[in-house]
Amino acid sequence: MTGQQVRVGLQVQPEHADYATIRQTAAEAEALGADVIFVWDHFFPLTGDPNGKHFECWTVLAALAESTSTVQLGPLVSCVRYRNPDLLADMARTIDHISGGRALLGLGSGWYEKDFTSYGYPFGTDSERLQELAAALPRVKTRLAQLNPPPAGKLPLMLGGSGEKRTLRLVAEDADIWHAFHDPATIRHKLSVLHKHCADVRRDPAEIEVATSVSGLAAHEGTPGELGPELHDLGVSLFIVGAGGPEFDLGPLRQWIAWRDRAND
């Protein structure tokens, strides 16, 4: 394996559950030893009843910043069209202080049309949304540098997406973490593209933590002992398990944490 320490995160999908259950799920994940807890940034359930219970990402993150004590916290990922980029920076900085320096800022261009249209945001084209993401990044960085007080910790920037011409270029230029959702063969190819962009901007690709969601990779579902080493050898070091309500099955998270502990031993 690579020399990178393995980390395991849980993406809490705040659908079909009361907030008390979401809070308890985060507490259980922290007690199990999860490194990061993410909350997705959608306005409606993506599975089950499309009109089922659902909660907003950033207010849930602020509450979890108070109710947890060790895990890193952030959105996976926050769409820049839903909130002013300067406001996003301020929100992330505030949560960083609430949590004692445990926040990360995950950003992306968005993809779920219902989120946009139901809340009055223009959906536009993929190209337009990527342009908006590119325009948002310097605003976020400028605002973070101006805020008083500044972030309490490093406040890493994570970018989600894998478009080879534009998104991966933004990752090479600005991201501390790159998040993808691909099988190992695709990850291998995307990393080769990312490394070329890093060479173009004269950045060491080792500075960028590679994260991937592992739930839903059907060929390897529930087998971290098989999938984990293969992805880790490619350079992935943050493995993210998803769980949605109403019951939030943390069985897969336990399996990935057990594999992490063996891999890091």
Side-chain angles (χ1 to χ4, degrees):
M1 287 189 182
T2 70
Q4 298 168 308
Q5 287 287 295
V6 173
R7 301 203 298 153
V8 172
L10 174 71
Q11 184 195 47
V12 175
Q13 301 160 357
E15 58 178 5
H16 308 304
D18 296 325
Y19 173 71
T21 304
I22 293 171
R23 182 182 59 222
Q24 179 58 37
T25 298
E28 184 175 352
E30 183 173 55
L32 288 170
D35 297 290
V36 193
I37 292 176
F38 296 98
V39 178
W40 76 18
D41 190 20
H42 294 289
F43 303 133
F44 302 94
L46 298 186
T47 65
D49 180 0
N51 296 310
K53 294 177 180 177
H54 198 277
F55 290 99
E56 191 273 333
C57 170
W58 281 94
T59 41
V60 169
L61 282 170
L64 296 182
E66 282 282 7
S67 67
T68 60
S69 59
T70 61
V71 290
Q72 197 172 26
L73 295 161
L76 182 60
V77 288
S78 191
C79 176
V80 296
R81 185 166 278 188
Y82 299 161
R83 303 165 190 86
N84 176 289
D86 294 80
L87 175 62
L88 270 175
D90 202 342
M91 292 161 63
R93 181 281 309 252
T94 299
I95 289 176
D96 201 37
H97 279 266
I98 295 170
S99 67
R102 293 183 286 122
L104 65 81
L105 177 54
L107 298 176
S109 58
W111 62 271
Y112 188 44
E113 187 170 3
K114 183 179 178 180
D115 285 336
F116 289 83
T117 56
S118 294
Y119 274 59
Y121 301 112
F123 184 58
T125 64
D126 290 349
S127 178
E128 289 169 342
R129 295 194 303 279
L130 280 172
Q131 287 175 2
E132 192 158 354
L133 175 61
L137 293 177
R139 290 180 59 182
V140 167
K141 292 189 292 184
T142 297
R143 181 57 57 187
L144 286 172
Q146 294 172 343
L147 290 169
N148 184 17
K154 186 179 183 299
L155 192 58
L157 174 64
M158 179 173 71
L159 292 182
S162 56
E164 296 183 8
K165 292 183 179 180
R166 303 175 71 179
T167 305
L168 292 181
R169 177 73 177 208
L170 293 175
V171 172
E173 293 173 344
D174 292 308
D176 301 295
I177 308 169
W178 169 54
H179 175 264
F181 184 20
H182 297 299
D183 60 83
T186 305
I187 287 280
R188 180 183 294 107
H189 169 69
K190 297 293 182 179
L191 282 172
S192 70
V193 176
L194 176 59
H195 290 179
K196 290 177 183 177
H197 285 304
C198 285
D200 290 341
V201 301
R202 299 185 178 182
R203 187 175 183 197
D204 182 356
E207 297 176 0
I208 303 170
E209 183 176 20
V210 180
T212 190
S213 294
V214 291
S215 299
L217 292 176
H220 304 276
E221 187 75 22
T223 58
E226 177 185 357
L227 179 60
E230 186 174 2
L231 287 169
H232 194 211
D233 284 342
L234 293 174
V236 177
S237 59
L238 176 54
F239 299 80
I240 303 168
V241 178
E247 297 182 0
F248 295 99
D249 178 13
L250 297 187
L253 179 68
R254 290 184 178 89
Q255 294 176 15
W256 279 94
I257 288 173
W259 171 76
R260 176 203 65 190
D261 293 344
R262 295 193 300 271
N264 287 340
D265 188 10

